[in-house]
Amino acid sequence: AAPLNPAVLPLDWLLGTWESDEPGEGSFPTIPPFRYTETLHFTHVGQPVINFMFNAYHAESKKPLHRECGFIRIQPGTNRVAFIIAQNSGLVEIEEGELTAQQLTLQSHALARTSFAREPHVQQISRVFQLRADGRLEQTVCMATGDQPLTQHLHITYRRAS
Ligand code: HEM
């Protein structure tokens, strides 16, 4: 395997596979609350880039639901981080933000969707990844849609599977 590119060394704590330890909580003012499980894979091939894949399932029925994949880059010489993301719902986005210690705080900078994407359309996304002192990874996602202001949609914690 290629050695980790030094450009992404500050993100080495993400690498590997993470599984939700208990079901995550989904919510939004317009939908019934739901529970989901999710597996995250962060890999690299020696480029100054981290590759990722997130696969979520309904906690009770185990049906595959939301999926996203993409790339993470760091602006050289800074703590500025960009996520380049494609979602199975037909949404693509660029999220940018900062890496401070073992926390990533991201805001959507560009969103685009298929011409026939379902409404309501997402207008803004903010998310936080944090490696906690107990070794768990935590993700919180908020979104704004055409009819709702920025409100939490997802909260989940993962434990390292490999
Ligand atoms: C609903 C966006 C991640 C599960 C929705 C809605 C939007 C949305 C716009 C419709 C809200 C409304 O009707 O007012 C997103 C975005 C995500 C994301 C932008 C990632 C950044 C996830 C994940 C799951 C999930 C990881 C986990 C399974 C659901 C469910 C609903 C929903 C079950 C309600 C039923 C439905 O509309 O399909 N999401 N979502 N979402 N989301 Fe997400």
Side-chain angles (χ1 to χ4, degrees):
L4 184 63
N5 192 293
V8 288
L9 193 59
L11 292 172
D12 65 348
W13 51 277
L14 278 176
L15 288 170
T17 298
W18 299 85
E19 306 244 19
S20 45
D21 49 357
E22 52 191 57
E25 292 162 9
S27 56
F28 206 62
T30 46
I31 61 172
F34 63 92
R35 285 155 30 100
Y36 69 103
T37 61
E38 191 172 37
T39 304
L40 312 183
H41 301 282
F42 295 95
T43 61
H44 74 93
V45 292
Q47 295 177 330
V49 176
I50 305 282
N51 311 315
F52 69 82
M53 256 177 15
F54 301 168
N55 299 325
Y57 304 83
H58 193 274
E60 283 82 35
S61 73
K62 321 275 190 229
K63 263 178 60 176
L65 290 176
H66 193 265
R67 300 169 86 86
E68 23 187 329
C69 60
F71 306 95
I72 311 173
R73 307 189 66 108
I74 302 184
Q75 185 180 13
T78 73
N79 66 343
R80 187 131 204 99
V81 173
F83 276 54
I84 301 112
I85 307 173
Q87 303 196 7
N88 63 344
S89 56
L91 188 70
V92 295
E93 38 157 347
I94 305 287
E95 292 183 18
E96 292 192 20
E98 291 194 343
L99 172 64
T100 50
Q102 290 171 330
Q103 176 169 318
L104 280 162
T105 308
L106 302 159
Q107 308 282 345
S108 56
H109 277 229
L111 289 175
R113 59 182 61 81
T114 53
S115 59
F116 48 88
R118 253 194 311 164
E119 296 204 46
H121 291 168
V122 185
Q123 305 295 339
Q124 191 191 346
I125 297 171
S126 74
R127 65 173 114 193
V128 177
F129 289 95
Q130 182 175 26
L131 184 63
R132 304 193 322 200
D134 64 3
R136 303 256 153 114
L137 182 66
E138 190 170 356
Q139 182 180 191
T140 308
V141 176
C142 296
M143 66 178 175
T145 62
D147 37 56
Q148 295 294 325
L150 196 63
T151 308
Q152 185 167 309
H153 183 37
L154 308 162
H155 179 257
I156 189 167
T157 61
Y158 314 88
R159 79 174 143 221
R160 192 177 269 294
S162 73

